[in-house]
Amino acid sequence: VQLVESGGGLVQAGGYLKLSCAASGFKLEDYAIGWFRQAPGKEREGVSCISSADGGTYSPDSMAGRFTMSKDSAKNVVYLHMNDLVPEDTAVYYCAHDIYCSRYGVLRPAGSSHWGQGTQVTVSS
Protein backbone atom coordinates (compact mmCIF):
# COMPACT_ATOMS: atom_id res chain seq x y z
CA VAL A 1 0.00 0.00 0.00
CA GLN A 2 1.26 3.43 -0.92
CA LEU A 3 -0.35 6.84 -0.62
CA VAL A 4 1.22 9.92 -2.16
CA GLU A 5 -0.23 13.34 -1.43
CA SER A 6 0.31 16.42 -3.55
CA GLY A 7 -1.16 19.84 -4.14
CA GLY A 8 -0.22 21.62 -0.95
CA GLY A 9 1.24 25.08 -0.94
CA LEU A 10 0.73 28.68 0.10
CA VAL A 11 -2.65 30.29 -0.46
CA GLN A 12 -4.30 33.47 0.73
CA ALA A 13 -7.23 33.45 3.11
CA GLY A 14 -10.46 32.95 1.22
CA GLY A 15 -8.73 30.96 -1.46
CA TYR A 16 -9.14 27.45 -2.82
CA LEU A 17 -6.79 24.50 -2.89
CA LYS A 18 -7.17 20.96 -4.16
CA LEU A 19 -5.12 18.18 -2.64
CA SER A 20 -4.59 14.85 -4.38
CA CYS A 21 -3.84 11.44 -2.93
CA ALA A 22 -2.64 8.83 -5.40
CA ALA A 23 -3.24 5.36 -4.03
CA SER A 24 -1.58 2.12 -5.07
CA GLY A 25 -1.69 -1.43 -3.78
CA PHE A 26 -5.43 -1.47 -3.22
CA LYS A 27 -8.69 -0.37 -4.82
CA LEU A 28 -10.48 2.67 -3.47
CA GLU A 29 -13.80 0.82 -3.42
CA ASP A 30 -12.45 -1.75 -0.99
CA TYR A 31 -11.41 0.56 1.85
CA ALA A 32 -12.54 3.73 3.52
CA ILE A 33 -10.13 6.55 2.84
CA GLY A 34 -9.82 10.01 4.25
CA TRP A 35 -7.86 13.11 5.06
CA PHE A 36 -6.44 14.19 8.38
CA ARG A 37 -4.41 17.21 9.34
CA GLN A 38 -2.03 18.24 12.07
CA ALA A 39 -1.00 21.76 12.90
CA PRO A 40 2.09 22.56 14.99
CA GLY A 41 1.41 21.94 18.65
CA LYS A 42 -2.03 20.49 18.00
CA GLU A 43 -3.44 17.01 17.86
CA ARG A 44 -4.22 15.34 14.59
CA GLU A 45 -7.82 15.80 13.48
CA GLY A 46 -10.01 14.28 10.82
CA VAL A 47 -10.94 16.45 7.87
CA SER A 48 -13.02 14.34 5.51
CA CYS A 49 -13.56 10.76 4.43
CA ILE A 50 -15.30 8.48 1.99
CA SER A 51 -16.91 5.32 3.30
CA SER A 52 -16.31 2.02 1.54
CA ALA A 53 -19.70 0.70 2.66
CA ASP A 54 -21.89 3.12 0.71
CA GLY A 55 -19.58 5.75 -0.76
CA GLY A 56 -20.95 8.32 1.64
CA THR A 57 -18.76 11.21 2.71
CA TYR A 58 -18.36 12.89 6.06
CA SER A 59 -16.65 16.01 7.32
CA PRO A 60 -16.80 17.48 10.82
CA ASP A 61 -19.15 20.44 11.25
CA SER A 62 -16.26 22.87 11.40
CA MET A 63 -15.25 21.89 7.87
CA ALA A 64 -18.47 20.70 6.26
CA GLY A 65 -19.46 23.05 3.49
CA ARG A 66 -15.87 24.18 2.96
CA PHE A 67 -14.07 20.84 2.54
CA THR A 68 -15.32 18.06 0.30
CA MET A 69 -13.84 14.85 -1.03
CA SER A 70 -14.13 13.27 -4.42
CA LYS A 71 -12.51 10.29 -6.07
CA ASP A 72 -11.50 9.07 -9.49
CA SER A 73 -11.74 5.30 -9.32
CA ALA A 74 -10.23 4.86 -12.75
CA LYS A 75 -7.07 6.65 -11.60
CA ASN A 76 -7.28 5.40 -8.00
CA VAL A 77 -6.95 8.98 -6.76
CA VAL A 78 -8.92 10.88 -4.13
CA TYR A 79 -9.11 14.62 -3.85
CA LEU A 80 -9.75 17.09 -1.08
CA HIS A 81 -11.34 20.31 -2.25
CA MET A 82 -10.81 23.13 0.22
CA ASN A 83 -12.76 26.36 -0.17
CA ASP A 84 -12.79 29.60 1.83
CA LEU A 85 -9.53 28.75 3.51
CA VAL A 86 -8.61 30.50 6.73
CA PRO A 87 -5.23 30.74 8.49
CA GLU A 88 -6.43 28.15 11.03
CA ASP A 89 -6.46 25.60 8.22
CA THR A 90 -2.67 25.77 8.08
CA ALA A 91 -1.37 22.27 8.76
CA VAL A 92 0.21 19.21 7.25
CA TYR A 93 -2.52 17.23 5.52
CA TYR A 94 -2.31 13.45 5.40
CA CYS A 95 -4.17 10.89 3.37
CA ALA A 96 -4.99 7.63 5.16
CA HIS A 97 -6.51 4.36 4.03
CA ASP A 98 -8.40 1.65 5.90
CA ILE A 99 -9.88 4.06 8.40
CA TYR A 100 -13.20 4.16 10.22
CA CYS A 101 -15.58 6.34 8.24
CA SER A 102 -19.33 6.76 8.18
CA ARG A 103 -21.56 9.48 6.82
CA TYR A 104 -23.19 9.51 10.25
CA GLY A 105 -20.21 11.08 11.92
CA VAL A 106 -17.35 8.62 12.17
CA LEU A 107 -13.87 9.61 11.09
CA ARG A 108 -10.84 8.15 12.81
CA PRO A 109 -7.83 6.04 11.94
CA ALA A 110 -7.55 2.33 12.66
CA GLY A 111 -4.58 0.35 13.79
CA SER A 112 -4.26 -1.02 10.29
CA SER A 113 -4.34 2.38 8.57
CA HIS A 114 -1.63 3.33 6.13
CA TRP A 115 -0.57 6.95 5.80
CA GLY A 116 0.96 9.14 3.17
CA GLN A 117 3.91 11.40 3.83
CA GLY A 118 1.76 14.51 4.10
CA THR A 119 1.59 17.79 2.23
CA GLN A 120 1.94 21.23 3.79
CA VAL A 121 -0.88 23.72 3.44
CA THR A 122 -0.21 27.28 4.56
CA VAL A 123 -2.93 29.91 4.53
CA SER A 124 -1.82 33.52 4.82
CA SER A 125 -4.03 36.24 6.25
Side-chain angles (χ1 to χ4, degrees), residues 4-41:
V4 179
E5 301 98 332
S6 61
L10 176 64
V11 62
Q12 288 189 332
Y16 165 84
L17 208 57
K18 183 177 80 172
L19 305 183
S20 301
C21 174
S24 60
F26 68 98
K27 294 182 178 180
L28 292 178
E29 286 74 18
D30 294 340
Y31 293 91
I33 189 166
W35 290 89
F36 295 78
R37 70 184 185 185
Q38 188 164 22

Side-chain angles (χ1 to χ4, degrees), residues 68-89:
T68 58
M69 278 189 73
S70 64
K71 68 178 180 180
D72 185 332
S73 297
K75 296 181 178 179
N76 227 39
V77 177
V78 294
Y79 304 97
L80 179 66
H81 305 268
M82 304 187 292
N83 296 281
D84 297 325
L85 286 161
V86 297
E88 291 72 25
D89 294 321

Side-chain angles (χ1 to χ4, degrees), residues 32-36 45-52 54-70 79-80 99-108:
I33 189 166
W35 290 89
F36 295 78
E45 62 177 338
V47 173
S48 189
C49 66
I50 296 177
S51 167
S52 60
D54 58 6
T57 60
Y58 167 72
S59 290
D61 289 343
S62 60
M63 303 167 203
R66 296 193 303 124
F67 292 3
T68 58
M69 278 189 73
S70 64
Y79 304 97
L80 179 66
I99 62 172
Y100 294 112
C101 172
S102 165
R103 67 170 70 207
Y104 304 110
V106 177
L107 171 52
R108 65 180 187 271

